Amino acid sequence: MHILITRPEGKGTELALELQQAGYQTTLCPVLTLDYLTVNSSELAPLENADKIIFISQDAVHALLKLTPTINKAAQLYAVGQQTADAVYEAFGRRAAVPKQHDSEGLLELKTLQDVELSNIVLVKGEGGRTTIAKTLKQRGALLNQLVVYKRSAIESEPGKWMDHWQTIDVEGIVITSNAAVDAIFNGLNEPQRAWLKERKFFVASERIADYLKQQNVARTQIHIAAGASDSAMFTCINQQGSKMSEAESKQPAKAVTAQPEKKAQTTANSGAKAPVQAKKGISKTGSLALLISLLVASAVGYEFYHKLNSDQQSAVALTELTDENQRLQQQIDALKSAQQTLQHSLYNSEQKVTDALNESAEQTQQQLQAALKRAEQQTFTLNPQEVTSLQRMAEFKLWAEHDYQGAAAVLSRLDSLLAEHPSTGAIRQAIHQDLQTLNAIEPVAVEAIYLKLHGINQKVDELLFNAISLPEEVVKEDPNQLSENVSEWRQNLAKSWQQFKDFFVTVRTREDMVIAPFLSEQERHLVKQRLSLYLAQAQDAVLSKQSSVYFSAVDAAHSLVKDYFKQDDAQTKAALKSLAELSKEQLDFSPKVSLQSTEQVKEWAQ
């Protein structure tokens, strides 16, 4: 059979070599090209938090590896086929789960892909492929991200030229591993070319491709489905079909051979029918020839009788020897039977001993288990007062020393479960449940939320705008005290000199615009913002150290500072004032007064 391999360039070489070694003719004719796509970092981001990553093909693995992604080390990896799984191991050093049936349906039947609700799954695939997997996983409630890393494109060539070449070399079978290859082959063909192509045998990688071929009106009998897209699976499928064809061809020449002996037999029979006629004519001529023949026949019969007599004597001797041999064999069989009976008796005795030993051991084990159960029951129904008192003291310690109300409730719940098996502790359990109601009603202070809110305000301090304006430009006037160069004006120059001397000690500057806000220097502004940050940091420390009075003082001081020094109509100032007002209303009751009713009950019970 002449096999045409349409896989992309560089992928069908090993399959071609295997087929050639098995006696097939092969032709490599790629009909598709593979182009790796450039993917941005936002599209690769889901790989970092993925719970499961599914690789559709080897090309998906190689294309993703070129992008050097960051993959979640805890993610479970999946591959549609074994070769894809090997590629995953070579690329990322991790094993991928592979279904028994190397296709989409087989992958979706894996147990770990059944319950995937709210699981982050990334499907690494080619453009437009494997829609069944994506659709099914979405129906199962998965959070699916499809990462397209390559695309298949038909090689730029006229399909009609392919058909002419394939017809010339008498192609009988065609290997197809994708729906895109089907489109590349069938598109653009005329009706005679389609008719010739439909008569070829198609070896495909999955049921999905077979169904796609049926849409091209290819008969199902012409389609043979391999166990996957690997070279070994394809070779097995082609070789099985080739063996069936060889057997069918080998049966046809066998019929032709058997027909020839029948013809020869007929010829022999016809010649034999004529022989008696010729013999009859000879006997009528010579009577002496008949007498001679009779003598010869009598001699032959006598010799045969003598030979038979000697043969009977020899047979009798052989029969005697066989009888003796049978007797010896019978004696050996009897000895073997005796040995077998002895062995069976020994085995029975041994089996009986083993059974007795096992029964004895089982009885001892049962007795030990019953004794252990009795001890456990005694321990269960014997309540240790020291353990009860210890748990109660631990609850008090968490309540008064650590102010851990949830921890105290947890300890009391543990004490309640311990007392539940003892009917005489009803009063203590009632007191414990009252204490649990009281502790659960206490709302814990949201220390972390308050701390983070203060931190957020502190980060925005530098963006607050001060409630001060820039001073207007000074009015530049001509200097009236400028000295004259005229000597006669010495009196005026003397007066001007005296005025300059006074101005050196007293300076009066005039401005045209009215100043309505105080002027702050850069150093003063820096000190105001630094002071505001210190108030906020003081409030954070007070929350952590559970000092409510210090907290409220610091928050009020920060609120006043923002209100006095910063623009009230600015968005940042409004947000800061709003947050500080909310923080000043927080209920910081770090140590509410709680008394445990169960304490007195435990003391009375222990006494």
Side-chain angles (χ1 to χ4, degrees):
M1 190 187 301
H2 194 155
I3 304 298
L4 178 73
I5 302 174
T6 64
R7 303 194 70 176
E9 187 174 357
K11 289 198 170 187
T13 307
E14 294 183 5
L15 176 59
L17 290 174
E18 286 188 57
L19 290 171
Q20 289 173 6
Q21 291 174 359
Y24 293 88
Q25 298 181 48
T26 60
T27 297
L28 290 172
C29 183
V31 297
L32 298 173
T33 59
L34 290 176
D35 298 321
Y36 293 164
L37 303 179
T38 302
V39 181
N40 57 41
S41 57
S42 61
E43 293 174 310
L44 293 173
L47 292 171
E48 299 181 12
N49 300 317
D51 299 320
K52 302 176 188 295
I53 303 175
I54 301 174
F55 294 92
I56 296 303
S57 62
Q58 300 177 67
D59 298 310
V61 179
H62 298 152
L64 182 63
L65 182 62
K66 285 196 172 183
L67 299 172
T68 61
T70 302
I71 295 178
N72 183 11
K73 294 182 179 179
Q76 189 171 3
L77 307 184
Y78 295 86
V80 175
Q82 186 58 50
Q83 288 187 335
T84 305
D86 295 339
V88 170
Y89 183 74
E90 292 178 2
F92 304 107
R94 295 166 60 186
R95 296 293 182 187
V98 184
K100 293 182 180 179
Q101 181 181 339
H102 296 171
D103 55 16
S104 301
E105 290 73 16
L107 181 75
L108 293 170
E109 288 179 0
L110 291 174
K111 291 183 179 179
T112 52
L113 289 179
Q114 299 299 314
D115 186 12
V116 292
E117 188 172 1
L118 299 181
S119 295
N120 292 320
I121 301 180
V122 178
L123 182 62
V124 187
K125 52 175 282 188
E127 191 175 61
R130 302 289 181 177
T131 56
T132 302
I133 297 177
K135 181 179 179 182
T136 304
L137 291 177
K138 286 181 180 179
Q139 290 175 351
R140 294 175 181 176
L143 304 177
L144 185 67
N145 291 282
Q146 300 189 50
L147 182 58
V148 179
V149 293
Y150 71 94
K151 68 176 181 179
R152 296 186 182 93
S153 304
I155 293 178
E156 296 182 0
S157 177
E158 296 181 10
K161 293 183 179 180
W162 285 345
M163 292 300 109
D164 294 340
H165 177 61
W166 295 350
Q167 291 176 11
T168 302
I169 62 178
D170 194 18
V171 169
E172 299 174 72
I174 302 176
V175 174
I176 297 180
T177 56
S178 66
N179 290 346
V182 176
D183 292 334
I185 294 172
F186 278 87
N187 290 343
L189 298 181
N190 55 36
E191 203 55 40
Q193 291 172 338
R194 280 180 171 271
W196 178 86
L197 193 59
K198 291 175 187 177
E199 294 177 357
R200 305 306 99 188
K201 294 186 180 298
F202 292 89
F203 302 96
V204 299
S206 65
E207 188 72 36
R208 178 174 56 90
I209 303 174
D211 293 337
Y212 198 69
L213 267 174
K214 291 178 187 177
Q215 298 178 14
Q216 301 291 342
N217 297 324
V218 177
R220 184 62 181 84
T221 55
Q222 297 298 109
I223 303 173
H224 306 281
I225 304 174
S230 63
D231 292 337
S232 59
M234 278 294 174
F235 176 78
T236 302
C237 180
I238 295 170
N239 203 30
Q240 287 177 350
Q241 183 62 24
S243 300
K244 292 178 182 178
M245 292 178 63
S246 300
E247 291 175 3
E249 292 173 357
S250 64
K251 291 178 181 179
Q252 295 178 357
K255 295 180 181 178
V257 172
T258 55
Q260 292 177 0
E262 292 176 0
K263 185 175 181 180
K264 185 176 180 181
Q266 291 176 1
T267 306
T268 307
N270 293 334
S271 61
K274 295 178 182 179
V277 177
Q278 294 176 356
K280 188 175 181 181
K281 291 180 180 179
I283 291 172
S284 63
K285 292 180 180 180
T286 56
S288 58
L289 182 60
L291 179 60
L292 181 60
I293 291 173
S294 299
L295 291 173
L296 291 173
V297 170
S299 300
V301 171
Y303 176 76
E304 185 177 356
F305 175 75
Y306 176 75
H307 181 69
K308 185 177 181 181
L309 182 61
N310 291 335
S311 298
D312 291 340
Q313 292 176 353
Q314 293 176 359
S315 299
V317 174
L319 182 61
T320 303
E321 293 176 354
L322 287 173
T323 302
D324 296 339
E325 184 66 24
N326 286 338
Q327 290 177 354
R328 287 195 298 271
L329 290 174
Q330 188 63 40
Q331 292 174 357
Q332 293 178 0
I333 291 172
D334 293 339
L336 289 173
K337 286 182 178 179
S338 177
Q340 184 180 6
Q341 291 176 356
T342 304
L343 180 60
Q344 288 178 350
H345 182 69
S346 300
L347 289 174
Y348 175 77
N349 293 335
S350 299
E351 185 178 357
Q352 189 65 33
K353 291 180 181 178
V354 171
T355 303
D356 295 340
L358 289 175
N359 291 334
E360 184 179 357
S361 177
E363 290 178 358
Q364 293 178 356
T365 304
Q366 188 69 20
Q367 292 174 359
Q368 292 174 358
L369 286 174
Q370 290 178 355
L373 287 173
K374 288 181 180 179
R375 288 195 299 272
E377 290 176 358
Q378 292 175 357
Q379 291 176 0
T380 301
F381 288 103
T382 302
L383 188 61
N384 187 0
Q386 186 177 1
E387 184 177 3
V388 175
T389 307
S390 176
L391 288 174
Q392 183 65 32
R393 289 176 179 174
M394 184 183 297
E396 292 178 356
F397 178 80
K398 286 189 171 293
L399 178 63
W400 300 112
E402 298 180 357
H403 300 290
D404 184 4
Y405 303 102
Q406 294 180 351
V411 174
L412 289 177
S413 297
R414 180 181 173 187
L415 177 58
D416 179 65
S417 62
L418 177 64
L419 298 174
E421 300 178 357
H422 304 277
S424 60
T425 58
I428 302 177
R429 294 191 64 200
Q430 288 180 0
I432 288 175
H433 282 279
Q434 291 179 3
D435 294 339
L436 288 175
Q437 287 292 110
T438 304
L439 293 173
N440 291 331
I442 298 174
E443 294 184 2
V445 178
V447 174
E448 184 177 358
I450 296 173
Y451 184 90
L452 293 176
K453 200 168 185 179
L454 289 167
H455 178 74
I457 300 173
N458 202 355
Q459 292 296 315
K460 295 293 184 179
V461 167
D462 291 336
E463 299 179 14
L464 296 176
L465 299 178
F466 279 93
N467 190 19
I469 60 174
S470 300
L471 293 175
E473 296 290 336
E474 295 182 6
V475 177
V476 180
K477 296 181 179 180
E478 294 183 1
D479 187 6
N481 298 320
Q482 186 175 3
L483 299 179
S484 173
E485 295 181 357
N486 190 354
V487 179
S488 62
E489 296 180 357
W490 63 271
R491 293 181 182 273
Q492 291 86 347
N493 289 338
L494 181 62
K496 290 179 180 179
S497 299
W498 173 250
Q499 188 64 34
Q500 288 180 356
F501 178 76
K502 288 194 302 178
D503 291 342
F504 180 79
F505 293 97
V506 180
T507 301
V508 178
R509 296 177 182 173
T510 61
R511 301 179 187 273
E512 293 180 354
D513 296 333
M514 183 180 295
V515 179
I516 59 174
F519 174 78
L520 294 177
S521 65
E522 288 298 326
Q523 184 177 4
E524 290 173 334
R525 294 186 181 191
H526 175 72
L527 291 175
V528 169
K529 288 186 176 181
Q530 190 174 16
R531 184 179 176 187
L532 177 58
S533 298
L534 288 174
Y535 281 142
L536 295 173
Q538 186 179 12
Q540 286 178 305
D541 293 337
V543 169
L544 295 178
S545 58
K546 299 181 180 180
Q547 298 176 354
S548 56
S549 59
V550 176
Y551 166 81
F552 288 115
S553 299
V555 170
D556 292 340
H559 187 274
S560 300
L561 204 61
V562 173
K563 190 174 181 181
D564 293 342
Y565 285 93
F566 298 95
K567 285 187 176 181
Q568 303 300 304
D569 57 348
D570 184 64
Q572 293 289 349
T573 305
K574 291 179 180 179
L577 289 172
K578 181 180 179 181
S579 299
L580 289 170
E582 292 174 353
L583 290 170
S584 65
K585 298 177 182 179
E586 291 285 347
Q587 300 295 327
L588 301 184
D589 192 0
F590 291 109
S591 55
K593 295 181 179 180
V594 178
S595 60
L596 297 179
Q597 302 294 327
S598 57
T599 302
E600 294 298 327
Q601 295 291 338
V602 171
K603 287 181 180 178
E604 293 178 3
W605 176 83
Q607 291 175 357

mmCIF file of all heavy atoms in Angstrom, residues 530-556:
data_model
loop_
_atom_site.group_PDB
_atom_site.id
_atom_site.type_symbol
_atom_site.label_atom_id
_atom_site.label_comp_id
_atom_site.label_asym_id
_atom_site.label_seq_id
_atom_site.Cartn_x
_atom_site.Cartn_y
_atom_site.Cartn_z
ATOM 1 N N GLN A 530 4.332 66.326 59.109
ATOM 2 C CA GLN A 530 5.018 65.346 59.957
ATOM 3 C C GLN A 530 4.258 65.134 61.269
ATOM 4 O O GLN A 530 4.131 64.004 61.763
ATOM 5 C CB GLN A 530 6.441 65.811 60.236
ATOM 6 C CG GLN A 530 7.308 64.752 60.907
ATOM 7 C CD GLN A 530 8.747 65.195 61.049
ATOM 8 O OE1 GLN A 530 9.050 66.384 60.924
ATOM 9 N NE2 GLN A 530 9.635 64.264 61.320
ATOM 10 N N ARG A 531 3.706 66.211 61.778
ATOM 11 C CA ARG A 531 2.924 66.113 63.017
ATOM 12 C C ARG A 531 1.655 65.282 62.784
ATOM 13 O O ARG A 531 1.277 64.454 63.629
ATOM 14 C CB ARG A 531 2.569 67.528 63.490
ATOM 15 C CG ARG A 531 1.851 67.566 64.818
ATOM 16 C CD ARG A 531 1.579 69.006 65.187
ATOM 17 N NE ARG A 531 0.801 69.120 66.409
ATOM 18 C CZ ARG A 531 0.301 70.265 66.883
ATOM 19 N NH1 ARG A 531 0.557 71.395 66.216
ATOM 20 N NH2 ARG A 531 -0.392 70.277 67.980
ATOM 21 N N LEU A 532 1.009 65.487 61.648
ATOM 22 C CA LEU A 532 -0.193 64.719 61.313
ATOM 23 C C LEU A 532 0.138 63.226 61.187
ATOM 24 O O LEU A 532 -0.602 62.362 61.686
ATOM 25 C CB LEU A 532 -0.785 65.229 60.002
ATOM 26 C CG LEU A 532 -2.020 64.493 59.467
ATOM 27 C CD1 LEU A 532 -3.148 64.513 60.491
ATOM 28 C CD2 LEU A 532 -2.472 65.112 58.145
ATOM 29 N N SER A 533 1.261 62.898 60.555
ATOM 30 C CA SER A 533 1.678 61.498 60.424
ATOM 31 C C SER A 533 1.950 60.870 61.781
ATOM 32 O O SER A 533 1.632 59.694 62.019
ATOM 33 C CB SER A 533 2.921 61.392 59.540
ATOM 34 O OG SER A 533 2.653 61.846 58.231
ATOM 35 N N LEU A 534 2.536 61.671 62.703
ATOM 36 C CA LEU A 534 2.819 61.151 64.045
ATOM 37 C C LEU A 534 1.529 60.836 64.800
ATOM 38 O O LEU A 534 1.430 59.837 65.516
ATOM 39 C CB LEU A 534 3.664 62.162 64.822
ATOM 40 C CG LEU A 534 5.125 62.298 64.358
ATOM 41 C CD1 LEU A 534 5.820 63.434 65.113
ATOM 42 C CD2 LEU A 534 5.867 60.989 64.600
ATOM 43 N N TYR A 535 0.502 61.701 64.627
ATOM 44 C CA TYR A 535 -0.786 61.428 65.271
ATOM 45 C C TYR A 535 -1.383 60.114 64.751
ATOM 46 O O TYR A 535 -1.916 59.301 65.530
ATOM 47 C CB TYR A 535 -1.755 62.582 65.006
ATOM 48 C CG TYR A 535 -1.523 63.800 65.897
ATOM 49 C CD1 TYR A 535 -1.660 65.088 65.392
ATOM 50 C CD2 TYR A 535 -1.183 63.648 67.239
ATOM 51 C CE1 TYR A 535 -1.439 66.202 66.182
ATOM 52 C CE2 TYR A 535 -0.960 64.753 68.042
ATOM 53 C CZ TYR A 535 -1.085 66.029 67.507
ATOM 54 O OH TYR A 535 -0.862 67.119 68.315
ATOM 55 N N LEU A 536 -1.325 59.925 63.449
ATOM 56 C CA LEU A 536 -1.889 58.710 62.863
ATOM 57 C C LEU A 536 -1.119 57.468 63.321
ATOM 58 O O LEU A 536 -1.710 56.420 63.622
ATOM 59 C CB LEU A 536 -1.868 58.808 61.329
ATOM 60 C CG LEU A 536 -2.761 59.901 60.729
ATOM 61 C CD1 LEU A 536 -2.533 60.019 59.228
ATOM 62 C CD2 LEU A 536 -4.230 59.609 61.016
ATOM 63 N N ALA A 537 0.223 57.559 63.368
ATOM 64 C CA ALA A 537 1.025 56.433 63.841
ATOM 65 C C ALA A 537 0.740 56.140 65.316
ATOM 66 O O ALA A 537 0.701 54.971 65.738
ATOM 67 C CB ALA A 537 2.509 56.730 63.642
ATOM 68 N N GLN A 538 0.503 57.226 66.106
ATOM 69 C CA GLN A 538 0.180 57.039 67.526
ATOM 70 C C GLN A 538 -1.153 56.301 67.677
ATOM 71 O O GLN A 538 -1.308 55.426 68.536
ATOM 72 C CB GLN A 538 0.120 58.400 68.218
ATOM 73 C CG GLN A 538 -0.067 58.304 69.730
ATOM 74 C CD GLN A 538 -0.102 59.681 70.383
ATOM 75 O OE1 GLN A 538 -0.202 60.696 69.701
ATOM 76 N NE2 GLN A 538 -0.006 59.722 71.695
ATOM 77 N N ALA A 539 -2.114 56.620 66.833
ATOM 78 C CA ALA A 539 -3.406 55.931 66.878
ATOM 79 C C ALA A 539 -3.251 54.455 66.503
ATOM 80 O O ALA A 539 -3.888 53.576 67.097
ATOM 81 C CB ALA A 539 -4.393 56.622 65.938
ATOM 82 N N GLN A 540 -2.371 54.159 65.526
ATOM 83 C CA GLN A 540 -2.141 52.759 65.148
ATOM 84 C C GLN A 540 -1.538 51.971 66.313
ATOM 85 O O GLN A 540 -1.963 50.842 66.610
ATOM 86 C CB GLN A 540 -1.198 52.703 63.937
ATOM 87 C CG GLN A 540 -1.860 53.121 62.633
ATOM 88 C CD GLN A 540 -0.891 53.094 61.472
ATOM 89 O OE1 GLN A 540 0.161 53.728 61.521
ATOM 90 N NE2 GLN A 540 -1.243 52.358 60.436
ATOM 91 N N ASP A 541 -0.547 52.550 66.960
ATOM 92 C CA ASP A 541 0.072 51.872 68.106
ATOM 93 C C ASP A 541 -0.940 51.664 69.235
ATOM 94 O O ASP A 541 -0.922 50.627 69.921
ATOM 95 C CB ASP A 541 1.266 52.682 68.617
ATOM 96 C CG ASP A 541 2.406 52.707 67.607
ATOM 97 O OD1 ASP A 541 2.460 51.777 66.765
ATOM 98 O OD2 ASP A 541 3.221 53.638 67.659
ATOM 99 N N ALA A 542 -1.826 52.630 69.424
ATOM 100 C CA ALA A 542 -2.827 52.516 70.496
ATOM 101 C C ALA A 542 -3.797 51.379 70.212
ATOM 102 O O ALA A 542 -4.226 50.668 71.124
ATOM 103 C CB ALA A 542 -3.580 53.836 70.644
ATOM 104 N N VAL A 543 -4.141 51.192 68.932
ATOM 105 C CA VAL A 543 -5.034 50.081 68.576
ATOM 106 C C VAL A 543 -4.366 48.748 68.865
ATOM 107 O O VAL A 543 -4.979 47.829 69.428
ATOM 108 C CB VAL A 543 -5.449 50.178 67.089
ATOM 109 C CG1 VAL A 543 -6.146 48.901 66.641
ATOM 110 C CG2 VAL A 543 -6.366 51.356 66.888
ATOM 111 N N LEU A 544 -3.108 48.635 68.476
ATOM 112 C CA LEU A 544 -2.406 47.367 68.681
ATOM 113 C C LEU A 544 -2.203 47.075 70.168
ATOM 114 O O LEU A 544 -2.247 45.907 70.590
ATOM 115 C CB LEU A 544 -1.062 47.387 67.955
ATOM 116 C CG LEU A 544 -1.136 47.469 66.424
ATOM 117 C CD1 LEU A 544 0.269 47.535 65.829
ATOM 118 C CD2 LEU A 544 -1.878 46.268 65.846
ATOM 119 N N SER A 545 -1.937 48.123 70.950
ATOM 120 C CA SER A 545 -1.708 47.918 72.386
ATOM 121 C C SER A 545 -3.000 47.986 73.204
ATOM 122 O O SER A 545 -2.953 47.929 74.434
ATOM 123 C CB SER A 545 -0.721 48.968 72.902
ATOM 124 O OG SER A 545 -1.216 50.276 72.665
ATOM 125 N N LYS A 546 -4.152 48.154 72.501
ATOM 126 C CA LYS A 546 -5.478 48.155 73.136
ATOM 127 C C LYS A 546 -5.612 49.271 74.170
ATOM 128 O O LYS A 546 -6.123 49.082 75.272
ATOM 129 C CB LYS A 546 -5.766 46.798 73.768
ATOM 130 C CG LYS A 546 -5.776 45.643 72.762
ATOM 131 C CD LYS A 546 -6.094 44.321 73.417
ATOM 132 C CE LYS A 546 -6.101 43.206 72.373
ATOM 133 N NZ LYS A 546 -6.404 41.881 72.975
ATOM 134 N N GLN A 547 -5.157 50.502 73.787
ATOM 135 C CA GLN A 547 -5.286 51.690 74.638
ATOM 136 C C GLN A 547 -6.304 52.625 73.985
ATOM 137 O O GLN A 547 -5.968 53.453 73.124
ATOM 138 C CB GLN A 547 -3.929 52.390 74.809
ATOM 139 C CG GLN A 547 -2.881 51.522 75.499
ATOM 140 C CD GLN A 547 -1.526 52.187 75.578
ATOM 141 O OE1 GLN A 547 -1.317 53.257 75.018
ATOM 142 N NE2 GLN A 547 -0.608 51.569 76.284
ATOM 143 N N SER A 548 -7.536 52.481 74.334
ATOM 144 C CA SER A 548 -8.609 53.206 73.655
ATOM 145 C C SER A 548 -8.509 54.718 73.882
ATOM 146 O O SER A 548 -8.767 55.510 72.960
ATOM 147 C CB SER A 548 -9.970 52.682 74.129
ATOM 148 O OG SER A 548 -10.066 52.782 75.544
ATOM 149 N N SER A 549 -8.159 55.172 75.093
ATOM 150 C CA SER A 549 -8.095 56.615 75.358
ATOM 151 C C SER A 549 -7.024 57.283 74.511
ATOM 152 O O SER A 549 -7.236 58.370 73.948
ATOM 153 C CB SER A 549 -7.817 56.862 76.848
ATOM 154 O OG SER A 549 -6.586 56.244 77.242
ATOM 155 N N VAL A 550 -5.861 56.650 74.402
ATOM 156 C CA VAL A 550 -4.786 57.214 73.563
ATOM 157 C C VAL A 550 -5.218 57.238 72.103
ATOM 158 O O VAL A 550 -4.949 58.190 71.361
ATOM 159 C CB VAL A 550 -3.504 56.380 73.743
ATOM 160 C CG1 VAL A 550 -2.417 56.883 72.807
ATOM 161 C CG2 VAL A 550 -3.036 56.433 75.185
ATOM 162 N N TYR A 551 -5.924 56.207 71.687
ATOM 163 C CA TYR A 551 -6.387 56.125 70.290
ATOM 164 C C TYR A 551 -7.310 57.286 69.953
ATOM 165 O O TYR A 551 -7.117 57.991 68.949
ATOM 166 C CB TYR A 551 -7.105 54.796 70.066
ATOM 167 C CG TYR A 551 -7.903 54.740 68.785
ATOM 168 C CD1 TYR A 551 -7.296 54.486 67.566
ATOM 169 C CD2 TYR A 551 -9.284 54.963 68.797
ATOM 170 C CE1 TYR A 551 -8.031 54.454 66.391
ATOM 171 C CE2 TYR A 551 -10.023 54.928 67.633
ATOM 172 C CZ TYR A 551 -9.406 54.667 66.417
ATOM 173 O OH TYR A 551 -10.137 54.638 65.266
ATOM 174 N N PHE A 552 -8.330 57.540 70.794
ATOM 175 C CA PHE A 552 -9.291 58.592 70.487
ATOM 176 C C PHE A 552 -8.629 59.978 70.554
ATOM 177 O O PHE A 552 -8.956 60.866 69.751
ATOM 178 C CB PHE A 552 -10.468 58.523 71.454
ATOM 179 C CG PHE A 552 -11.380 57.359 71.200
ATOM 180 C CD1 PHE A 552 -11.517 56.335 72.127
ATOM 181 C CD2 PHE A 552 -12.092 57.276 70.007
ATOM 182 C CE1 PHE A 552 -12.360 55.259 71.874
ATOM 183 C CE2 PHE A 552 -12.944 56.202 69.755
ATOM 184 C CZ PHE A 552 -13.061 55.181 70.683
ATOM 185 N N SER A 553 -7.672 60.175 71.475
ATOM 186 C CA SER A 553 -6.966 61.467 71.550
ATOM 187 C C SER A 553 -6.173 61.723 70.277
ATOM 188 O O SER A 553 -6.195 62.835 69.726
ATOM 189 C CB SER A 553 -6.031 61.482 72.769
ATOM 190 O OG SER A 553 -6.757 61.332 73.967
ATOM 191 N N ALA A 554 -5.483 60.706 69.790
ATOM 192 C CA ALA A 554 -4.673 60.858 68.577
ATOM 193 C C ALA A 554 -5.549 61.105 67.357
ATOM 194 O O ALA A 554 -5.231 61.953 66.503
ATOM 195 C CB ALA A 554 -3.804 59.616 68.372
ATOM 196 N N VAL A 555 -6.679 60.402 67.247
ATOM 197 C CA VAL A 555 -7.566 60.593 66.092
ATOM 198 C C VAL A 555 -8.184 61.982 66.111
ATOM 199 O O VAL A 555 -8.265 62.659 65.074
ATOM 200 C CB VAL A 555 -8.663 59.500 66.086
ATOM 201 C CG1 VAL A 555 -9.724 59.808 65.048
ATOM 202 C CG2 VAL A 555 -8.053 58.138 65.815
ATOM 203 N N ASP A 556 -8.628 62.455 67.277
ATOM 204 C CA ASP A 556 -9.204 63.803 67.365
ATOM 205 C C ASP A 556 -8.171 64.867 67.017
ATOM 206 O O ASP A 556 -8.484 65.856 66.329
ATOM 207 C CB ASP A 556 -9.750 64.044 68.781
ATOM 208 C CG ASP A 556 -10.968 63.168 69.071
ATOM 209 O OD1 ASP A 556 -11.598 62.692 68.099
ATOM 210 O OD2 ASP A 556 -11.267 62.947 70.261
#
